[in-house]
Amino acid sequence: MSGIPWQEQGYVKSALTAGLLCALAFTVIVYGALRYQAGLQTAVIKSDESAKVKLTSGLLTQIFDYTANDLRAISKLPTAESFSSDRTEREKDRLKQAFRVQLEQKPDYSQIRFFDKKGTELVRLDRAFGRILVTPERYLQFKGTRYYFTNTRDMPEGDVYVSPLDLNIENEKVDVPYLPMVRFGVPVFDKNGQKQGAVILNVKGQSLLDTFRLSMTDAYPAFLLNSDGYVLSGPDSIEEWGFMFGLPSAFKREYPEAWSQIEQSDSGVAETSAGLFMYETVKPLKRLDSSKSGQNYEWKAVSFVPGSSLPTSTIYTHPSVVSFYIFGLLMTLISVFYFQFSRQKRRQLRRENQQQSKRFWKISSVLGDGLIVMDKDGAVTYINPEAERILGWPSDEIVAKQGHEVFHVHEGEASSCSILDVMDTRQLYRSKDEEFRRKDDTTLPVILNAAPLSSDTGDEGVVISFQDFSETKRYQDKIHSLAYEDTLTGLPNRRVLEDRLQQAIAFSGRHDNHLGLMFLDLDHFKEVNDTYGHDAGDVLLKEIASRLTSCVRKTDTVIRMGGDEFIILLAEVSEPDNASSVAGKIIQAVGQPVTLPEGEARVGVSIGVVVATGDGVTGESLMQEADAAMYEAKRAGKNRCVIQTHRTPS
């Protein structure tokens, strides 16, 4: 600085010092804004992916619960109990027919077998090449030493054995192509309560894995891991099923830091150098009360967001911010030097600061979140373009108006509003349960963050960033609907039946009135499928579902069990003959011709009805009796009704 006059050196030093301090402060502000934005976006990703893995975990658990209930029902069929006591060829043929019906109705079931108590196959049906095949007796095998038979044989009555998910092995070798498989087993008892063997049901594991992949979507890589960290389903099929071949876990090898956290807890978020891992423990046997029989295994559903996909606060990754940052630095330094020169330059600096303030607000205008600022009285002072788009309110129509009168749906006085409370608590408020009102008076759910806002002048307010939560909420509602409705007909499914049947039984016990349970099986439905195809069969099933609903009261429940089987719960019947009247209406309605795109079809219906009242009634006994009555109607010539009165155990 020898060439600079001494009286100017102090100015240069002070200007440089002030300039560097301002540049540092500006850098911190820009970095803080980027980091705050990245943090909000990352929090949304964590929330969305955590909800996804939790919903997926529930779906997988439900599949095991439904399958176990199916197998319990199969083992309690009259044909199974009769064959356990009297192993004649006639009873064996009846059992084969019952097994065939189960496999035809449930495409995810690949094999069902009946074993004697030593482990020899007595009846075996397989699904192969699109057909149900009965294994000839000369090919039946001894499986008394296989783990799934020995574990099932040792189960007490009522318990279900469930094998881990693995690949099917034949002749000591893994089948190729791979056939993921889960085996369910229940012991079978005769009428005297003596254990006489076991029923083993093979379920296609691929359907389970397909459900997992569909639920997790393709937004980010997803893994289904067993309790040892091996990949059952993942983005790279080469890494799957390593434990079947004695290979080390690919997931633990690639993501050791994530696995050390995932295996320690049931759910959470593992933040590692590779990225974010949102995980939830899947406990398939939780609802089966498997701990009593020693069964206990679990999986981990994991959503992986790679570090490269996460929002970042690095300036150079945002081209527009880089330009703004460089320009801002230059303007800051120039403003500092001008401030040192004269009051005129200081006034120019104030104008530059005002321009910079506008530029900061421009940052908010390109944010993906809606942004609203309100003052301490709840009046709107600023709304960014994204908020205008979401709410449908232009800025000039909403600024200066009260937020609660315009967009915030809130019960009670504004003084009790959680958003405005942040000015008193000085704490960030986050919520997924708020609703905003659009200009067209419709409401939409939002995810929001509300933070207190203050200035050097003492003015206070609140800044709200929010996102439209409608799409995510619709996705959650759709998942809930899938759990309770039949996807083809829209009728309630078996899970709804179990709940409403228990309510009807309790109501009957309290008021000593009748209730009726009807099992319906369509006659000649197979001929419709064979003649016109399965698409036509689906159209017919929808029409039959509509006719059944029109034949009963709104207080009654029509259920589709699967295939061409339906159940109707008559929650309150004034007298048993009324059930017969309803059955007659149904037979007449179902028998009317159905117009299909390919032609006209007719089907009949065989109905089994059980009417019960009073205490001592169980849902399981009613379903067994209605099922038996339905089969009696089939044997009596089809397209008719058989009514029984419930037999209360003495």
Side-chain angles (χ1 to χ4, degrees), residues 46 63 196 454 523 547 552:
K46 289 180 181 179
I63 291 173
Q196 295 297 330
S454 61
D523 301 324
R547 294 181 184 182
V552 298

Side-chain angles (χ1 to χ4, degrees), residues 350-393:
R350 285 195 294 270
R351 289 194 297 270
E352 292 292 338
N353 287 336
Q354 292 174 355
Q355 293 176 1
Q356 299 237 355
S357 177
K358 293 179 180 178
R359 293 187 187 102
F360 277 112
W361 285 112
K362 287 181 180 179
I363 292 178
S364 72
S365 69
V366 299
L367 288 175
D369 292 355
L371 190 69
I372 297 176
V373 179
M374 296 192 298
D375 63 18
K376 62 182 179 181
D377 297 321
V380 177
T381 61
Y382 175 79
I383 177 171
N384 75 342
E386 181 64 10
E388 291 181 277
R389 184 190 68 80
I390 295 175
L391 298 178
W393 286 96

Side-chain angles (χ1 to χ4, degrees), residues 417-636:
C417 173
S418 300
I419 294 178
L420 296 181
D421 282 347
V422 301
M423 289 186 289
D424 297 325
T425 63
R426 316 305 297 176
Q427 299 292 324
L428 180 67
Y429 170 69
R430 296 185 175 91
S431 176
K432 292 183 179 180
D433 300 321
E434 297 284 346
E435 287 188 340
F436 281 1
R437 183 185 296 107
R438 292 173 49 82
K439 185 178 181 180
D440 60 8
D441 210 38
T442 61
T443 60
L444 72 157
V446 295
I447 300 175
L448 66 79
N449 294 288
L453 188 66
S454 61
S455 66
D456 295 338
T457 62
D459 294 334
E460 293 185 344
V462 58
V463 58
I464 307 164
S465 65
F466 66 94
Q467 291 181 331
D468 185 352
F469 192 53
S470 301
E471 183 175 352
T472 301
K473 193 171 187 302
R474 284 194 295 270
Y475 174 78
Q476 293 173 345
D477 293 340
K478 181 178 179 181
I479 294 297
H480 183 272
S481 175
L482 288 175
Y484 290 91
E485 289 184 3
D486 174 57
T487 55
L488 175 64
T489 63
L491 293 176
N493 60 16
R494 181 168 185 159
R495 185 174 181 181
V496 176
L497 171 65
E498 293 172 353
D499 180 66
R500 295 187 181 176
L501 181 55
Q502 292 304 319
Q503 294 181 20
I505 291 173
F507 184 86
S508 173
R510 287 194 302 269
H511 300 281
D512 196 32
N513 66 322
H514 295 85
L515 66 91
L517 189 65
M518 310 177 73
F519 269 47
L520 299 87
D521 187 90
L522 299 184
D523 301 324
H524 310 299
F525 176 73
K526 184 176 184 300
E527 286 85 341
V528 176
N529 276 340
D530 292 343
T531 304
Y532 299 109
H534 289 280
D535 289 342
D538 290 345
V539 173
L540 185 140
L541 287 174
K542 292 179 183 179
E543 173 61 21
I544 294 301
S546 175
R547 294 181 184 182
L548 293 179
T549 303
S550 66
C551 289
V552 298
R553 302 164 299 184
K554 292 183 178 180
T555 56
D556 300 326
T557 303
V558 181
I559 304 290
R560 182 181 178 227
M561 293 293 287
D564 58 350
E565 286 192 349
F566 297 82
I567 292 180
I568 297 178
L569 172 62
L570 306 176
E572 185 176 358
V573 181
S574 59
E575 58 186 38
D577 288 343
N578 287 356
S580 176
S581 175
V582 174
K585 289 173 57 179
I586 291 173
I587 291 173
Q588 183 178 3
V590 171
Q592 296 300 314
V594 178
T595 301
L596 304 175
E598 297 79 3
E600 188 177 88
R602 287 179 180 268
V603 294
V605 62
S606 296
I607 305 176
V609 184
V610 60
V611 178
T613 184
D615 296 327
V617 177
T618 66
E620 182 177 359
S621 63
L622 289 180
M623 294 182 71
Q624 289 178 357
E625 292 178 23
D627 184 57
M630 185 268 289
Y631 276 103
E632 182 65 27
K634 285 279 188 184
R635 288 192 293 269

Side-chain angles (χ1 to χ4, degrees), residues 245-271:
F245 305 98
L247 300 176
S249 166
F251 186 88
K252 289 197 289 187
R253 182 184 68 246
E254 294 184 19
Y255 311 109
E257 185 181 356
W259 176 249
S260 65
Q261 298 181 52
I262 291 173
E263 69 175 340
Q264 296 298 322
S265 60
D266 285 347
S267 62
V269 179
E271 301 187 24

